[in-house]
Amino acid sequence: DEPASKKTSGIYEVCGITDGTATFELQTKNTKMKTDDGCNYAVYPHDAAFENGAFSYEIPDTYTYTDVPSLIKKSLMVAKVATPADETSTVELKFTNAQSILRLCFSAYDPSDYPQIKKIKLTSSSNYLSGTAEVKWNGSTPPSAVISASKQDAGKMLTVTLDTPQTIPHYASDNHAEVYLPVVPVTFPEGDLTIELFEDGKEVPFYTKEIYKEVVVARGAIKGIKLTMGTPPDLPDAELVTNTSELNNAISNGKTNIKLSAETTYKLTSSTNKTLNIIGPKSATLDLSGVRPGSFRGSTLTFDGIFIDWGPNGNVYRGSDLASCTFNNCHIKGIFWGYAGHLYFNNCT
């Protein structure tokens, strides 16, 4: 399901576009449509080519959306194939989708910090996003479209230009700027996918986001990526701590929301079965080099805006058995060895 409007950046899946049925009246003259006449499949887009047991069609690398409704049109150029027709005058075609859709949603903690979106650029370092897509259809197994890497038009970038620039809404509202992009079924590894936003007349993006989480887009699925831009506001009841001792005392006293001071280093080694939201400026450093297996067992931790230092890399498994751990707008040094049930890196470096 789609996340609540107040949720920060995340990746999710909404209802799919997998299958459907359409009924057509055959418009034939003095003859019947027979499967052995070569009319034994149906394809959308209509201009797809069929050869050697596969059909192919072009996925462009550039789209122009002319109005707001087109931004959310879920059926854009999504390839569908159908089971063979029969010889009756009314033919029921059971379509199955060969492609998938990416749904990109944007909001901001402070929309006044950002211009309107004129252009969106999606780049993959290892997967093809445009070019000649091929689908091998045997009439039974649901097929998936694959972009042919051997073709010269294969590309790893998609660009969407908006005729009407879109304003980025406030994250707590019920609205968000969004766009749907057709893609072939694909798995983007961690750090493989980058999203850039441009304002009108500018060639340098005003916002760049590298997705630090694997994104699996299954056949017939709508995979959503929701980005909340900027720095989250201060937690209204956050307790300001000025040193490590005050930090540990606040945690021991059951404080949930804690704010770190600028230009200060704090050392945290253990906090089990806690819910903590720790915020602060980038100049605040949280030293987690002393964390060991079980240090955060059962805890739900959120870090916003601070510098995280895991210490020297090694074979120490840090932070295992976390219930959840989220890093928003953090600068992270070192490797996090852990087994978080839910682990998220949003707009981190």
Short mmCIF file of all heavy atoms in Angstrom, two decimals, residues 192-248:
data_model
loop_
_atom_site.label_atom_id
_atom_site.label_comp_id
_atom_site.label_asym_id
_atom_site.label_seq_id
_atom_site.Cartn_x
_atom_site.Cartn_y
_atom_site.Cartn_z
N ASP A 192 22.42 1.93 -7.46
CA ASP A 192 22.43 1.85 -8.92
C ASP A 192 21.58 2.93 -9.57
O ASP A 192 21.84 3.35 -10.69
CB ASP A 192 21.93 0.48 -9.36
CG ASP A 192 21.87 0.31 -10.87
OD1 ASP A 192 22.94 0.08 -11.47
OD2 ASP A 192 20.78 0.44 -11.45
N LEU A 193 20.55 3.39 -8.87
CA LEU A 193 19.55 4.28 -9.43
C LEU A 193 19.73 5.70 -8.89
O LEU A 193 19.81 5.90 -7.68
CB LEU A 193 18.15 3.76 -9.11
CG LEU A 193 16.96 4.46 -9.76
CD1 LEU A 193 17.02 4.30 -11.28
CD2 LEU A 193 15.66 3.88 -9.22
N THR A 194 19.76 6.68 -9.80
CA THR A 194 19.89 8.08 -9.41
C THR A 194 18.76 8.89 -10.04
O THR A 194 18.45 8.73 -11.22
CB THR A 194 21.25 8.67 -9.86
OG1 THR A 194 22.30 7.93 -9.25
CG2 THR A 194 21.37 10.13 -9.44
N ILE A 195 18.15 9.76 -9.24
CA ILE A 195 17.06 10.62 -9.69
C ILE A 195 17.51 12.07 -9.57
O ILE A 195 18.01 12.49 -8.52
CB ILE A 195 15.79 10.39 -8.86
CG1 ILE A 195 15.33 8.93 -8.99
CG2 ILE A 195 14.67 11.33 -9.29
CD1 ILE A 195 14.24 8.54 -8.02
N GLU A 196 17.33 12.83 -10.67
CA GLU A 196 17.70 14.24 -10.67
C GLU A 196 16.49 15.09 -11.05
O GLU A 196 15.71 14.72 -11.93
CB GLU A 196 18.83 14.51 -11.66
CG GLU A 196 20.14 13.82 -11.32
CD GLU A 196 21.17 13.98 -12.41
OE1 GLU A 196 20.92 13.52 -13.54
OE2 GLU A 196 22.23 14.59 -12.14
N LEU A 197 16.35 16.24 -10.38
CA LEU A 197 15.27 17.18 -10.67
C LEU A 197 15.87 18.50 -11.17
O LEU A 197 16.85 18.99 -10.62
CB LEU A 197 14.42 17.43 -9.43
CG LEU A 197 13.80 16.20 -8.75
CD1 LEU A 197 12.95 16.64 -7.56
CD2 LEU A 197 12.96 15.40 -9.73
N PHE A 198 15.24 19.08 -12.20
CA PHE A 198 15.73 20.31 -12.80
C PHE A 198 14.63 21.36 -12.82
O PHE A 198 13.45 21.03 -13.01
CB PHE A 198 16.18 20.06 -14.25
CG PHE A 198 17.29 19.06 -14.39
CD1 PHE A 198 17.04 17.69 -14.32
CD2 PHE A 198 18.60 19.48 -14.61
CE1 PHE A 198 18.06 16.77 -14.47
CE2 PHE A 198 19.63 18.56 -14.76
CZ PHE A 198 19.36 17.21 -14.68
N GLU A 199 15.02 22.61 -12.65
CA GLU A 199 14.07 23.70 -12.83
C GLU A 199 14.13 24.19 -14.27
O GLU A 199 15.04 23.85 -15.03
CB GLU A 199 14.35 24.85 -11.86
CG GLU A 199 15.67 25.54 -12.02
CD GLU A 199 15.83 26.67 -11.03
OE1 GLU A 199 14.96 27.56 -11.00
OE2 GLU A 199 16.84 26.66 -10.29
N ASP A 200 13.15 24.99 -14.65
CA ASP A 200 13.04 25.46 -16.02
C ASP A 200 14.26 26.28 -16.42
O ASP A 200 14.69 27.19 -15.71
CB ASP A 200 11.77 26.31 -16.17
CG ASP A 200 11.37 26.49 -17.61
OD1 ASP A 200 12.01 25.89 -18.49
OD2 ASP A 200 10.40 27.24 -17.87
N GLY A 201 14.85 25.93 -17.56
CA GLY A 201 15.95 26.69 -18.09
C GLY A 201 17.30 26.37 -17.51
O GLY A 201 18.31 27.00 -17.87
N LYS A 202 17.39 25.39 -16.61
CA LYS A 202 18.66 25.05 -15.97
C LYS A 202 19.08 23.64 -16.37
O LYS A 202 18.27 22.73 -16.47
CB LYS A 202 18.53 25.13 -14.44
CG LYS A 202 18.17 26.52 -13.92
CD LYS A 202 19.30 27.50 -14.15
CE LYS A 202 18.97 28.88 -13.63
NZ LYS A 202 18.82 28.94 -12.18
N GLU A 203 20.38 23.48 -16.60
CA GLU A 203 20.93 22.18 -16.96
C GLU A 203 21.60 21.49 -15.78
O GLU A 203 22.04 20.35 -15.89
CB GLU A 203 21.94 22.33 -18.11
CG GLU A 203 21.31 22.79 -19.42
CD GLU A 203 20.21 21.84 -19.88
OE1 GLU A 203 20.39 20.62 -19.77
OE2 GLU A 203 19.16 22.33 -20.34
N VAL A 204 21.71 22.19 -14.66
CA VAL A 204 22.27 21.61 -13.44
C VAL A 204 21.12 21.28 -12.49
O VAL A 204 20.27 22.13 -12.21
CB VAL A 204 23.25 22.58 -12.76
CG1 VAL A 204 23.77 21.98 -11.45
CG2 VAL A 204 24.41 22.91 -13.69
N PRO A 205 21.02 20.05 -12.00
CA PRO A 205 19.88 19.67 -11.14
C PRO A 205 19.91 20.42 -9.82
O PRO A 205 20.96 20.68 -9.26
CB PRO A 205 20.07 18.17 -10.93
CG PRO A 205 21.54 17.93 -11.14
CD PRO A 205 21.97 18.93 -12.18
N PHE A 206 18.72 20.78 -9.33
CA PHE A 206 18.63 21.39 -8.01
C PHE A 206 18.47 20.33 -6.91
O PHE A 206 18.59 20.62 -5.73
CB PHE A 206 17.49 22.41 -7.94
CG PHE A 206 16.10 21.84 -8.05
CD1 PHE A 206 15.46 21.28 -6.96
CD2 PHE A 206 15.42 21.87 -9.27
CE1 PHE A 206 14.18 20.76 -7.06
CE2 PHE A 206 14.13 21.35 -9.37
CZ PHE A 206 13.51 20.79 -8.27
N TYR A 207 18.24 19.09 -7.34
CA TYR A 207 18.10 18.00 -6.36
C TYR A 207 18.58 16.71 -7.01
O TYR A 207 18.19 16.39 -8.14
CB TYR A 207 16.65 17.86 -5.92
CG TYR A 207 16.40 16.72 -4.94
CD1 TYR A 207 16.67 16.86 -3.58
CD2 TYR A 207 15.89 15.50 -5.38
CE1 TYR A 207 16.44 15.83 -2.69
CE2 TYR A 207 15.65 14.46 -4.49
CZ TYR A 207 15.93 14.64 -3.15
OH TYR A 207 15.71 13.60 -2.27
N THR A 208 19.44 15.99 -6.32
CA THR A 208 19.95 14.70 -6.79
C THR A 208 19.81 13.68 -5.68
O THR A 208 20.20 13.94 -4.54
CB THR A 208 21.43 14.79 -7.22
OG1 THR A 208 21.55 15.76 -8.28
CG2 THR A 208 21.93 13.45 -7.72
N LYS A 209 19.26 12.53 -6.00
CA LYS A 209 19.07 11.48 -5.01
C LYS A 209 19.54 10.14 -5.55
O LYS A 209 19.05 9.64 -6.57
CB LYS A 209 17.59 11.38 -4.63
CG LYS A 209 17.26 10.20 -3.71
CD LYS A 209 17.93 10.33 -2.37
CE LYS A 209 17.56 9.16 -1.47
NZ LYS A 209 18.26 9.22 -0.18
N GLU A 210 20.52 9.56 -4.89
CA GLU A 210 20.96 8.20 -5.21
C GLU A 210 20.23 7.25 -4.25
O GLU A 210 20.24 7.44 -3.04
CB GLU A 210 22.47 8.08 -5.04
CG GLU A 210 23.02 6.73 -5.48
CD GLU A 210 24.54 6.69 -5.43
OE1 GLU A 210 25.16 7.77 -5.32
OE2 GLU A 210 25.10 5.59 -5.50
N ILE A 211 19.57 6.25 -4.81
CA ILE A 211 18.74 5.35 -4.01
C ILE A 211 19.62 4.29 -3.38
O ILE A 211 20.13 3.39 -4.06
CB ILE A 211 17.63 4.70 -4.87
CG1 ILE A 211 16.83 5.78 -5.59
CG2 ILE A 211 16.73 3.85 -3.98
CD1 ILE A 211 16.15 6.77 -4.68
N TYR A 212 19.81 4.39 -2.06
CA TYR A 212 20.70 3.47 -1.34
C TYR A 212 19.92 2.26 -0.82
O TYR A 212 19.99 1.92 0.35
CB TYR A 212 21.38 4.19 -0.19
CG TYR A 212 22.42 5.18 -0.63
CD1 TYR A 212 22.11 6.53 -0.71
CD2 TYR A 212 23.70 4.78 -0.99
CE1 TYR A 212 23.05 7.45 -1.13
CE2 TYR A 212 24.64 5.69 -1.40
CZ TYR A 212 24.32 7.03 -1.47
OH TYR A 212 25.24 7.94 -1.89
N LYS A 213 19.17 1.67 -1.71
CA LYS A 213 18.43 0.46 -1.35
C LYS A 213 18.09 -0.27 -2.64
O LYS A 213 17.82 0.35 -3.67
CB LYS A 213 17.14 0.81 -0.59
CG LYS A 213 16.39 -0.42 -0.08
CD LYS A 213 15.14 -0.02 0.68
CE LYS A 213 14.42 -1.26 1.20
NZ LYS A 213 13.17 -0.93 1.90
N GLU A 214 18.13 -1.58 -2.60
CA GLU A 214 17.76 -2.36 -3.77
C GLU A 214 16.30 -2.11 -4.13
O GLU A 214 15.43 -2.09 -3.26
CB GLU A 214 17.98 -3.85 -3.52
CG GLU A 214 17.67 -4.73 -4.72
CD GLU A 214 17.86 -6.20 -4.43
OE1 GLU A 214 17.01 -6.76 -3.69
OE2 GLU A 214 18.85 -6.78 -4.90
N VAL A 215 16.03 -1.90 -5.42
CA VAL A 215 14.67 -1.69 -5.90
C VAL A 215 14.35 -2.79 -6.91
O VAL A 215 14.97 -2.86 -7.97
CB VAL A 215 14.52 -0.30 -6.55
CG1 VAL A 215 13.08 -0.10 -7.02
CG2 VAL A 215 14.92 0.80 -5.58
N VAL A 216 13.40 -3.63 -6.57
CA VAL A 216 13.00 -4.73 -7.47
C VAL A 216 11.66 -4.37 -8.09
O VAL A 216 10.65 -4.21 -7.40
CB VAL A 216 12.87 -6.06 -6.70
CG1 VAL A 216 12.44 -7.18 -7.65
CG2 VAL A 216 14.19 -6.41 -6.01
N VAL A 217 11.65 -4.22 -9.41
CA VAL A 217 10.43 -3.90 -10.15
C VAL A 217 9.99 -5.16 -10.88
O VAL A 217 10.57 -5.53 -11.90
CB VAL A 217 10.66 -2.74 -11.13
CG1 VAL A 217 9.34 -2.31 -11.75
CG2 VAL A 217 11.32 -1.56 -10.43
N ALA A 218 8.98 -5.82 -10.36
CA ALA A 218 8.53 -7.09 -10.93
C ALA A 218 7.62 -6.86 -12.13
O ALA A 218 7.04 -5.77 -12.30
CB ALA A 218 7.80 -7.91 -9.87
N ARG A 219 7.48 -7.89 -12.95
CA ARG A 219 6.57 -7.81 -14.09
C ARG A 219 5.17 -7.46 -13.64
O ARG A 219 4.62 -8.06 -12.73
CB ARG A 219 6.56 -9.14 -14.85
CG ARG A 219 5.67 -9.14 -16.11
CD ARG A 219 5.41 -10.55 -16.60
NE ARG A 219 4.63 -11.33 -15.65
CZ ARG A 219 3.31 -11.27 -15.53
NH1 ARG A 219 2.61 -10.46 -16.30
NH2 ARG A 219 2.68 -12.01 -14.65
N GLY A 220 4.58 -6.47 -14.30
CA GLY A 220 3.21 -6.09 -13.99
C GLY A 220 3.03 -5.34 -12.68
O GLY A 220 1.91 -5.12 -12.25
N ALA A 221 4.12 -4.92 -12.05
CA ALA A 221 4.03 -4.24 -10.76
C ALA A 221 4.16 -2.73 -10.94
O ALA A 221 4.74 -2.25 -11.91
CB ALA A 221 5.10 -4.74 -9.81
N ILE A 222 3.62 -1.99 -9.99
CA ILE A 222 3.86 -0.56 -9.89
C ILE A 222 4.72 -0.34 -8.65
O ILE A 222 4.24 -0.50 -7.53
CB ILE A 222 2.55 0.24 -9.77
CG1 ILE A 222 1.64 -0.04 -10.98
CG2 ILE A 222 2.85 1.73 -9.68
CD1 ILE A 222 0.29 0.65 -10.89
N LYS A 223 5.96 -0.03 -8.86
CA LYS A 223 6.89 0.20 -7.75
C LYS A 223 7.00 1.69 -7.49
O LYS A 223 7.29 2.47 -8.39
CB LYS A 223 8.27 -0.38 -8.08
CG LYS A 223 9.30 -0.20 -6.97
CD LYS A 223 8.95 -1.02 -5.72
CE LYS A 223 9.15 -2.49 -5.92
NZ LYS A 223 9.01 -3.27 -4.69
N GLY A 224 6.73 2.09 -6.25
CA GLY A 224 6.76 3.50 -5.89
C GLY A 224 8.05 3.87 -5.18
O GLY A 224 8.58 3.11 -4.38
N ILE A 225 8.56 5.05 -5.50
CA ILE A 225 9.69 5.65 -4.78
C ILE A 225 9.24 7.02 -4.32
O ILE A 225 8.97 7.90 -5.15
CB ILE A 225 10.94 5.75 -5.67
CG1 ILE A 225 11.38 4.37 -6.14
CG2 ILE A 225 12.07 6.44 -4.91
CD1 ILE A 225 12.59 4.39 -7.07
N LYS A 226 9.13 7.19 -3.02
CA LYS A 226 8.68 8.46 -2.47
C LYS A 226 9.86 9.16 -1.81
O LYS A 226 10.50 8.60 -0.92
CB LYS A 226 7.56 8.25 -1.45
CG LYS A 226 6.98 9.56 -0.92
CD LYS A 226 5.80 9.32 -0.01
CE LYS A 226 5.21 10.64 0.46
NZ LYS A 226 4.06 10.44 1.37
N LEU A 227 10.14 10.38 -2.26
CA LEU A 227 11.26 11.15 -1.75
C LEU A 227 10.75 12.39 -1.02
O LEU A 227 9.98 13.18 -1.58
CB LEU A 227 12.19 11.57 -2.89
CG LEU A 227 12.78 10.43 -3.72
CD1 LEU A 227 13.64 10.98 -4.83
CD2 LEU A 227 13.59 9.49 -2.84
N THR A 228 11.18 12.55 0.22
CA THR A 228 10.86 13.73 0.99
C THR A 228 12.13 14.57 1.07
O THR A 228 13.12 14.15 1.67
CB THR A 228 10.36 13.36 2.40
OG1 THR A 228 9.27 12.45 2.28
CG2 THR A 228 9.88 14.61 3.14
N MET A 229 12.09 15.74 0.47
CA MET A 229 13.29 16.54 0.26
C MET A 229 13.53 17.50 1.42
O MET A 229 12.60 18.01 2.04
CB MET A 229 13.16 17.31 -1.06
CG MET A 229 12.96 16.39 -2.25
SD MET A 229 12.11 17.15 -3.64
CE MET A 229 13.24 18.49 -4.00
N GLY A 230 14.82 17.74 1.71
CA GLY A 230 15.18 18.71 2.73
C GLY A 230 15.46 18.08 4.07
O GLY A 230 15.55 16.86 4.23
N THR A 231 15.58 18.94 5.08
CA THR A 231 15.89 18.52 6.45
C THR A 231 14.63 18.54 7.29
O THR A 231 13.89 19.53 7.27
CB THR A 231 16.94 19.46 7.07
OG1 THR A 231 18.10 19.44 6.26
CG2 THR A 231 17.30 19.01 8.47
N PRO A 232 14.33 17.48 8.02
CA PRO A 232 13.11 17.45 8.82
C PRO A 232 13.14 18.53 9.90
O PRO A 232 14.20 18.90 10.40
CB PRO A 232 13.12 16.05 9.45
CG PRO A 232 14.54 15.62 9.40
CD PRO A 232 15.12 16.25 8.18
N PRO A 233 11.99 19.07 10.26
CA PRO A 233 11.94 20.10 11.30
C PRO A 233 12.30 19.52 12.66
O PRO A 233 12.26 18.31 12.88
CB PRO A 233 10.48 20.55 11.27
CG PRO A 233 9.73 19.35 10.73
CD PRO A 233 10.66 18.71 9.75
N ASP A 234 12.68 20.40 13.56
CA ASP A 234 12.99 19.95 14.91
C ASP A 234 11.79 19.27 15.53
O ASP A 234 10.64 19.68 15.34
CB ASP A 234 13.38 21.15 15.79
CG ASP A 234 14.81 21.60 15.54
OD1 ASP A 234 15.55 20.86 14.87
OD2 ASP A 234 15.18 22.67 16.03
N LEU A 235 12.08 18.20 16.27
CA LEU A 235 11.02 17.57 17.05
C LEU A 235 10.66 18.52 18.19
O LEU A 235 11.53 18.99 18.93
CB LEU A 235 11.51 16.23 17.59
CG LEU A 235 11.88 15.20 16.52
CD1 LEU A 235 12.57 14.00 17.16
CD2 LEU A 235 10.65 14.76 15.76
N PRO A 236 9.39 18.85 18.34
CA PRO A 236 9.01 19.89 19.30
C PRO A 236 9.40 19.60 20.74
O PRO A 236 9.66 20.52 21.51
CB PRO A 236 7.48 19.98 19.14
CG PRO A 236 7.09 18.67 18.52
CD PRO A 236 8.23 18.27 17.65
N ASP A 237 9.45 18.33 21.11
CA ASP A 237 9.75 17.99 22.51
C ASP A 237 11.13 17.36 22.66
O ASP A 237 11.41 16.68 23.65
CB ASP A 237 8.68 17.04 23.05
CG ASP A 237 8.58 15.74 22.25
OD1 ASP A 237 9.10 15.73 21.12
OD2 ASP A 237 7.97 14.79 22.76
N ALA A 238 12.01 17.59 21.67
CA ALA A 238 13.33 16.98 21.73
C ALA A 238 14.16 17.59 22.87
O ALA A 238 14.19 18.80 23.06
CB ALA A 238 14.06 17.17 20.41
N GLU A 239 14.83 16.72 23.62
CA GLU A 239 15.69 17.19 24.71
C GLU A 239 17.10 17.43 24.18
O GLU A 239 17.72 16.54 23.60
CB GLU A 239 15.73 16.15 25.83
CG GLU A 239 16.64 16.57 26.99
CD GLU A 239 16.47 15.72 28.22
OE1 GLU A 239 15.32 15.30 28.49
OE2 GLU A 239 17.46 15.46 28.91
N LEU A 240 17.59 18.66 24.38
CA LEU A 240 18.93 19.01 23.91
C LEU A 240 19.96 18.46 24.89
O LEU A 240 19.90 18.69 26.09
CB LEU A 240 19.06 20.53 23.83
CG LEU A 240 20.43 21.05 23.36
CD1 LEU A 240 20.71 20.62 21.94
CD2 LEU A 240 20.49 22.57 23.50
N VAL A 241 20.93 17.72 24.34
CA VAL A 241 22.02 17.18 25.16
C VAL A 241 23.34 17.74 24.64
O VAL A 241 23.51 17.95 23.44
CB VAL A 241 22.03 15.64 25.14
CG1 VAL A 241 20.77 15.08 25.79
CG2 VAL A 241 22.16 15.10 23.72
N THR A 242 24.27 18.01 25.54
CA THR A 242 25.51 18.68 25.15
C THR A 242 26.75 17.81 25.27
O THR A 242 27.84 18.23 24.89
CB THR A 242 25.71 19.95 26.00
OG1 THR A 242 25.79 19.57 27.40
CG2 THR A 242 24.55 20.91 25.82
N ASN A 243 26.60 16.58 25.80
CA ASN A 243 27.74 15.67 25.89
C ASN A 243 27.24 14.24 25.98
O ASN A 243 26.03 13.98 26.09
CB ASN A 243 28.64 16.03 27.09
CG ASN A 243 27.87 16.09 28.39
OD1 ASN A 243 27.15 15.15 28.74
ND2 ASN A 243 28.01 17.20 29.12
N THR A 244 28.18 13.30 25.99
CA THR A 244 27.83 11.87 26.00
C THR A 244 27.07 11.49 27.27
O THR A 244 26.11 10.71 27.22
CB THR A 244 29.10 11.02 25.87
OG1 THR A 244 29.70 11.24 24.59
CG2 THR A 244 28.79 9.53 26.01
N SER A 245 27.48 12.05 28.40
CA SER A 245 26.81 11.72 29.66
C SER A 245 25.34 12.13 29.62
O SER A 245 24.47 11.36 30.04
CB SER A 245 27.52 12.42 30.82
OG SER A 245 26.87 12.14 32.03
N GLU A 246 25.06 13.32 29.12
CA GLU A 246 23.68 13.78 29.03
C GLU A 246 22.88 12.93 28.04
O GLU A 246 21.69 12.66 28.26
CB GLU A 246 23.63 15.24 28.61
CG GLU A 246 24.15 16.19 29.70
CD GLU A 246 24.02 17.65 29.29
OE1 GLU A 246 23.47 17.92 28.19
OE2 GLU A 246 24.46 18.53 30.06
N LEU A 247 23.52 12.49 26.96
CA LEU A 247 22.85 11.63 26.00
C LEU A 247 22.44 10.32 26.65
O LEU A 247 21.28 9.87 26.54
CB LEU A 247 23.77 11.36 24.81
CG LEU A 247 23.30 10.29 23.81
CD1 LEU A 247 22.00 10.70 23.14
CD2 LEU A 247 24.38 10.01 22.75
N ASN A 248 23.36 9.67 27.36
CA ASN A 248 23.05 8.39 28.00
C ASN A 248 22.02 8.55 29.10
O ASN A 248 21.17 7.67 29.30
CB ASN A 248 24.33 7.76 28.53
CG ASN A 248 25.24 7.28 27.41
OD1 ASN A 248 24.77 6.79 26.40
ND2 ASN A 248 26.55 7.43 27.58
#
